[in-house]
Amino acid sequence: MPEGGLAVAEKPAAPAAPAPAAPAALSPAKEAIAAARIIEELRPVFRRDGGDVELVDMEGSLVLVHLTGACSGCQLAAQTLGGIQKKISDALGRPVRVMPVAKT
């Protein structure tokens, strides 16, 4: 008992919150759909600047996109691709690389 005071029973510490679960692995088709949705969500930003980005293909961790309009040859295209890359990587829970390609 503390001097001059009442004994206070300590509450047991609350259990630690469980660590967030890693995103469940998606099939290649579902990964491509997720990548396409992310690009679609960003499309208004590209179009506002006079350009656009189109998903061409996804091969493993490689995401191939086609830049059109003002995005094609833009000095900031690398930053645009980096932003897309981060958003897709975050959504899939694994690293990907976004690369521009010519549309065939």
Side-chain angles (χ1 to χ4, degrees), residues 21-24 26 31 34-35 38 41-42 58 63 81-98:
L26 299 175
E31 285 188 341
I38 289 166
E41 289 171 7
L42 296 171
M58 212 170 153
V63 180
L81 295 173
I84 295 169
Q85 181 172 296
K86 178 170 180 6
K87 286 191 174 282
I88 293 173
S89 292
D90 290 348
L92 300 182
R94 66 180 181 89
V96 297
R97 178 156 175 112
V98 175

Side-chain angles (χ1 to χ4, degrees), residues 42-54:
L42 296 171
R43 181 159 279 123
V45 177
F46 308 141
R47 289 189 173 164
R48 183 173 48 237
D49 291 334
D52 204 356
V53 178
E54 177 185 341

Side-chain angles (χ1 to χ4, degrees), residues 4-88:
L6 298 173
V8 179
E10 290 186 29
K11 291 183 181 181
L26 299 175
S27 69
K30 288 185 178 181
E31 285 188 341
I33 290 169
R37 283 186 180 150
I38 289 166
I39 291 172
E40 188 62 35
E41 289 171 7
L42 296 171
R43 181 159 279 123
V45 177
F46 308 141
R47 289 189 173 164
R48 183 173 48 237
D49 291 334
D52 204 356
V53 178
E54 177 185 341
L55 178 64
V56 174
D57 198 4
M58 212 170 153
E59 302 169 355
S61 64
L62 188 61
V63 180
L64 305 174
V65 297
H66 177 66
L67 304 175
T68 61
C71 289
S72 179
C74 174
Q75 293 178 5
L76 298 176
Q79 288 180 327
T80 298
L81 295 173
I84 295 169
Q85 181 172 296
K86 178 170 180 6
K87 286 191 174 282
I88 293 173

